[in-house]
Amino acid sequence: MRTEQHPYANTFPLPDLRSCTPTDTLIVLDTITPRYEEHTSSPISFFHLLERLKTTKRAGWQRFGIEHGESISDHMYRMSILTMMAPTSISSKLDVVKCTRMALIHDMAEALVGDITPVDGVAKDDKSKREADTMDYICNNLLGKFNGGLNAKEVRQLWQEYEDSETEESKFVHDIDKMELLLQMVEYERENKGDLDLGEFAWVSLGIKSEEVKAWSERVLWDRREMWESFGKEPSWGNGAKPKSKPAPL
């Protein structure tokens, strides 16, 4: 266990980026001492930046009093494993290795902009602009001169592909993003033994496109229904997400 805090650690409170304009999103760099070394052939500053993904919590859960919940990197790690579990009906049509890399990269911008949620009042275009600016900073300023910029180019392209959500790989990873959220929702509810209802997140299941991931989500939501029945309570189910019948075995 470390006894000393690394100089790049997240030792200062982050500014509230929800009130920043898109051009202000990199203001958080002024809170980091020492500043990341930029425009060098070394990737070490980028490696240190990744720690922020380990220490920054997913904001949606904090609204419900879950102060010691998952970090951004926790979320992306499980997503990456889920992509590797793609059944043959999916893996025969997609580049699963690419999906795994995309899952590990898709929220990287949140290392600096934080986890902006739909309830934060930030327009979708503004959120995209802030995150794109951050990825440009990471890939140009921190990685642009490392290995001829080849790694930076790949990271930036994978992130943009996820954002555009036009390829089959990106659509699958978006489904996995929703699936991971559903798993975490049920796990927090189980941990709190019926004293915490996170049902407002269940609606994301309605946006899952692939039949395979949809089958996973139906199983999880049915398990949730049975779990709440064992608590003797009826939870909330956002926008008609409550399962009406037991799904077929996976």
Side-chain angles (χ1 to χ4, degrees):
M1 180 177 292
R2 294 185 306 180
T3 57
E4 296 181 357
Q5 194 166 34
H6 195 280
Y8 283 100
N10 188 11
T11 54
F12 298 93
L14 299 182
D16 188 354
L17 293 178
R18 294 173 295 183
S19 62
C20 295
T21 62
T23 55
D24 293 330
T25 55
L26 299 183
I27 192 173
V28 69
L29 292 171
D30 293 332
T31 71
I32 299 172
T33 305
R35 283 283 293 263
Y36 298 123
E37 292 185 359
E38 301 176 6
H39 306 295
T40 76
S41 59
S42 169
I44 299 302
S45 286
F46 170 70
F47 295 166
H48 286 309
L49 175 137
L50 295 177
E51 183 193 21
R52 300 179 70 86
L53 296 171
K54 296 170 62 177
T55 57
T56 304
K57 301 300 183 182
R58 296 255 285 167
W61 307 124
Q62 292 179 315
R63 289 194 295 111
F64 291 85
I66 303 173
E67 296 300 326
H68 302 289
E70 64 169 345
S71 69
I72 296 167
S73 63
D74 291 334
H75 167 64
M76 293 195 293
Y77 174 76
R78 179 154 61 177
M79 276 184 63
S80 69
I81 299 298
L82 293 182
T83 65
M84 295 170 64
M85 298 300 107
T88 305
S89 56
I90 291 179
S91 61
S92 61
K93 298 180 291 187
L94 302 180
D95 182 343
V96 174
V97 172
K98 184 179 187 180
C99 292
T100 302
R101 291 178 175 178
M102 193 180 295
L104 289 168
I105 288 171
H106 81 286
D107 280 340
M108 185 178 289
E110 294 179 10
L112 294 179
V113 303
D115 181 19
I116 301 173
T117 71
V119 301
D120 291 328
V122 177
K124 185 176 180 179
D125 289 347
D126 286 351
K127 178 178 181 292
S128 295
K129 177 66 164 60
R130 297 180 194 189
E131 293 178 349
D133 287 349
T134 299
M135 291 305 295
D136 287 342
Y137 167 79
I138 291 172
C139 295
N140 293 333
N141 295 40
L142 301 186
L143 288 175
K145 291 189 175 181
F146 166 65
N147 196 32
L150 296 176
N151 304 78
K153 183 178 179 180
E154 179 185 19
V155 167
R156 187 63 176 80
Q157 287 177 341
L158 281 170
W159 181 85
Q160 192 63 55
E161 183 175 342
Y162 177 82
E163 285 294 296
D164 293 341
S165 192
E166 294 177 351
T167 65
E168 293 305 311
E169 284 80 6
S170 62
K171 293 175 183 177
F172 174 60
V173 177
H174 273 282
D175 281 353
I176 291 295
D177 189 23
K178 296 177 178 69
M179 181 64 201
E180 203 285 327
L181 183 149
L182 293 172
L183 289 166
Q184 190 64 73
M185 174 190 76
V186 173
E187 289 157 359
Y188 284 143
E189 290 180 333
R190 182 184 297 123
E191 180 181 340
N192 285 272
K193 297 178 170 55
D195 291 331
L196 180 65
D197 183 349
L198 299 171
E200 75 169 56
F201 293 100
W203 69 271
V204 303
S205 64
L206 304 176
I208 294 175
K209 306 301 183 184
S210 69
E211 292 301 319
E212 294 84 355
V213 181
K214 189 178 297 183
W216 292 350
S217 70
E218 289 171 351
R219 180 74 257 179
V220 169
L221 292 180
W222 183 261
D223 290 346
R224 178 179 190 255
R225 176 173 168 168
E226 291 186 329
M227 177 183 70
W228 278 93
E229 288 176 354
S230 73
F231 295 148
K233 298 179 180 179
E234 177 62 31
S236 59
W237 295 90
N239 295 327
K242 182 177 180 179
K244 295 179 176 60
S245 59
K246 187 173 182 177
L250 293 174

CSV table of all heavy atoms in Angstrom, one decimal, residues 99-121:
chain,number,residue,atom,x,y,z
A,99,CYS,N,-13.9,-3.8,-30.3
A,99,CYS,CA,-15.0,-3.5,-29.4
A,99,CYS,C,-14.4,-3.3,-28.0
A,99,CYS,O,-14.7,-2.4,-27.2
A,99,CYS,CB,-16.1,-4.5,-29.4
A,99,CYS,SG,-17.1,-4.5,-30.9
A,100,THR,N,-13.5,-4.3,-27.6
A,100,THR,CA,-12.9,-4.2,-26.3
A,100,THR,C,-12.0,-3.0,-26.1
A,100,THR,O,-12.1,-2.3,-25.0
A,100,THR,CB,-12.0,-5.5,-26.1
A,100,THR,OG1,-12.8,-6.7,-26.2
A,100,THR,CG2,-11.4,-5.5,-24.7
A,101,ARG,N,-11.3,-2.6,-27.1
A,101,ARG,CA,-10.5,-1.4,-27.0
A,101,ARG,C,-11.4,-0.2,-26.9
A,101,ARG,O,-11.1,0.8,-26.2
A,101,ARG,CB,-9.6,-1.3,-28.3
A,101,ARG,CG,-8.5,-2.3,-28.3
A,101,ARG,CD,-7.7,-2.2,-29.6
A,101,ARG,NE,-6.5,-3.1,-29.6
A,101,ARG,CZ,-5.6,-3.2,-30.6
A,101,ARG,NH1,-5.8,-2.4,-31.7
A,101,ARG,NH2,-4.6,-4.0,-30.5
A,102,MET,N,-12.5,-0.2,-27.7
A,102,MET,CA,-13.4,0.9,-27.6
A,102,MET,C,-14.0,1.1,-26.3
A,102,MET,O,-14.2,2.2,-25.8
A,102,MET,CB,-14.5,0.7,-28.7
A,102,MET,CG,-15.3,2.0,-29.0
A,102,MET,SD,-16.6,1.6,-30.3
A,102,MET,CE,-15.5,1.3,-31.7
A,103,ALA,N,-14.4,0.0,-25.6
A,103,ALA,CA,-14.9,0.0,-24.3
A,103,ALA,C,-14.0,0.6,-23.3
A,103,ALA,O,-14.4,1.3,-22.4
A,103,ALA,CB,-15.4,-1.4,-23.9
A,104,LEU,N,-12.7,0.3,-23.5
A,104,LEU,CA,-11.7,0.8,-22.6
A,104,LEU,C,-11.4,2.3,-22.8
A,104,LEU,O,-10.7,3.0,-21.9
A,104,LEU,CB,-10.4,0.0,-22.7
A,104,LEU,CG,-10.4,-1.4,-22.2
A,104,LEU,CD1,-9.2,-2.2,-22.6
A,104,LEU,CD2,-10.5,-1.4,-20.6
A,105,ILE,N,-11.8,2.9,-23.9
A,105,ILE,CA,-11.5,4.2,-24.3
A,105,ILE,C,-12.7,5.2,-24.2
A,105,ILE,O,-12.5,6.4,-24.0
A,105,ILE,CB,-10.9,4.3,-25.7
A,105,ILE,CG1,-9.4,3.7,-25.7
A,105,ILE,CG2,-10.9,5.7,-26.3
A,105,ILE,CD1,-8.9,3.5,-27.0
A,106,HIS,N,-13.9,4.7,-24.3
A,106,HIS,CA,-15.0,5.5,-24.6
A,106,HIS,C,-15.3,6.6,-23.6
A,106,HIS,O,-15.9,7.6,-24.0
A,106,HIS,CB,-16.3,4.6,-24.8
A,106,HIS,CG,-16.9,4.2,-23.5
A,106,HIS,ND1,-16.4,3.2,-22.7
A,106,HIS,CD2,-18.1,4.6,-23.0
A,106,HIS,CE1,-17.2,3.1,-21.7
A,106,HIS,NE2,-18.2,3.9,-21.8
A,107,ASP,N,-15.0,6.4,-22.3
A,107,ASP,CA,-15.2,7.5,-21.3
A,107,ASP,C,-13.9,8.2,-20.9
A,107,ASP,O,-13.8,8.8,-19.9
A,107,ASP,CB,-15.9,6.9,-20.1
A,107,ASP,CG,-17.4,6.8,-20.3
A,107,ASP,OD1,-17.9,7.4,-21.2
A,107,ASP,OD2,-18.0,6.0,-19.6
A,108,MET,N,-12.8,8.0,-21.7
A,108,MET,CA,-11.5,8.6,-21.3
A,108,MET,C,-11.6,10.1,-21.1
A,108,MET,O,-10.9,10.6,-20.2
A,108,MET,CB,-10.5,8.2,-22.4
A,108,MET,CG,-9.1,8.6,-22.0
A,108,MET,SD,-7.9,8.2,-23.3
A,108,MET,CE,-7.8,6.4,-23.1
A,109,ALA,N,-12.4,10.8,-21.8
A,109,ALA,CA,-12.4,12.3,-21.6
A,109,ALA,C,-12.9,12.6,-20.2
A,109,ALA,O,-12.6,13.7,-19.8
A,109,ALA,CB,-13.3,12.9,-22.7
A,110,GLU,N,-13.6,11.8,-19.6
A,110,GLU,CA,-14.1,12.1,-18.3
A,110,GLU,C,-13.0,12.2,-17.2
A,110,GLU,O,-13.2,12.7,-16.1
A,110,GLU,CB,-15.1,11.0,-17.8
A,110,GLU,CG,-16.4,11.1,-18.7
A,110,GLU,CD,-17.4,10.0,-18.3
A,110,GLU,OE1,-17.3,9.4,-17.3
A,110,GLU,OE2,-18.4,9.9,-19.1
A,111,ALA,N,-11.8,11.8,-17.6
A,111,ALA,CA,-10.6,12.0,-16.7
A,111,ALA,C,-10.5,13.5,-16.4
A,111,ALA,O,-10.0,13.9,-15.3
A,111,ALA,CB,-9.4,11.5,-17.3
A,112,LEU,N,-10.9,14.4,-17.3
A,112,LEU,CA,-10.8,15.8,-17.1
A,112,LEU,C,-12.2,16.5,-17.0
A,112,LEU,O,-12.3,17.4,-16.2
A,112,LEU,CB,-9.9,16.5,-18.2
A,112,LEU,CG,-8.5,16.1,-18.2
A,112,LEU,CD1,-7.7,16.7,-19.3
A,112,LEU,CD2,-7.8,16.4,-16.9
A,113,VAL,N,-13.1,16.1,-17.8
A,113,VAL,CA,-14.4,16.8,-17.8
A,113,VAL,C,-15.4,16.3,-16.7
A,113,VAL,O,-16.4,16.9,-16.4
A,113,VAL,CB,-15.1,16.8,-19.1
A,113,VAL,CG1,-14.2,17.4,-20.2
A,113,VAL,CG2,-15.5,15.4,-19.5
A,114,GLY,N,-15.0,15.1,-16.2
A,114,GLY,CA,-15.9,14.5,-15.2
A,114,GLY,C,-17.1,13.7,-15.9
A,114,GLY,O,-17.2,13.8,-17.1
A,115,ASP,N,-17.9,13.1,-15.1
A,115,ASP,CA,-19.0,12.3,-15.6
A,115,ASP,C,-20.2,13.2,-15.6
A,115,ASP,O,-20.9,13.4,-14.6
A,115,ASP,CB,-19.2,11.1,-14.6
A,115,ASP,CG,-20.4,10.2,-15.1
A,115,ASP,OD1,-20.8,10.3,-16.3
A,115,ASP,OD2,-20.9,9.4,-14.3
A,116,ILE,N,-20.5,13.8,-16.8
A,116,ILE,CA,-21.6,14.6,-17.0
A,116,ILE,C,-22.9,13.8,-17.3
A,116,ILE,O,-22.9,13.0,-18.2
A,116,ILE,CB,-21.4,15.6,-18.1
A,116,ILE,CG1,-20.2,16.5,-17.9
A,116,ILE,CG2,-22.6,16.5,-18.3
A,116,ILE,CD1,-19.7,17.3,-19.0
A,117,THR,N,-23.9,13.9,-16.4
A,117,THR,CA,-25.1,13.1,-16.6
A,117,THR,C,-26.2,13.9,-17.2
A,117,THR,O,-26.2,15.1,-17.2
A,117,THR,CB,-25.5,12.5,-15.2
A,117,THR,OG1,-26.0,13.6,-14.4
A,117,THR,CG2,-24.3,11.9,-14.5
A,118,PRO,N,-27.3,13.2,-17.6
A,118,PRO,CA,-28.4,13.9,-18.2
A,118,PRO,C,-29.1,14.9,-17.3
A,118,PRO,O,-29.7,15.9,-17.8
A,118,PRO,CB,-29.4,12.8,-18.6
A,118,PRO,CG,-28.5,11.6,-18.8
A,118,PRO,CD,-27.4,11.7,-17.8
A,119,VAL,N,-29.0,14.8,-16.0
A,119,VAL,CA,-29.7,15.7,-15.1
A,119,VAL,C,-28.8,16.9,-14.8
A,119,VAL,O,-29.3,17.8,-14.0
A,119,VAL,CB,-30.0,15.0,-13.8
A,119,VAL,CG1,-30.9,13.8,-14.0
A,119,VAL,CG2,-28.8,14.5,-13.0
A,120,ASP,N,-27.6,17.0,-15.4
A,120,ASP,CA,-26.7,18.1,-15.1
A,120,ASP,C,-27.1,19.4,-15.9
A,120,ASP,O,-26.5,20.4,-15.7
A,120,ASP,CB,-25.3,17.8,-15.3
A,120,ASP,CG,-24.8,16.8,-14.3
A,120,ASP,OD1,-25.2,16.8,-13.1
A,120,ASP,OD2,-23.9,15.9,-14.7
A,121,GLY,N,-28.0,19.3,-16.8
A,121,GLY,CA,-28.4,20.4,-17.6
A,121,GLY,C,-27.5,20.9,-18.6
A,121,GLY,O,-27.5,22.1,-19.0
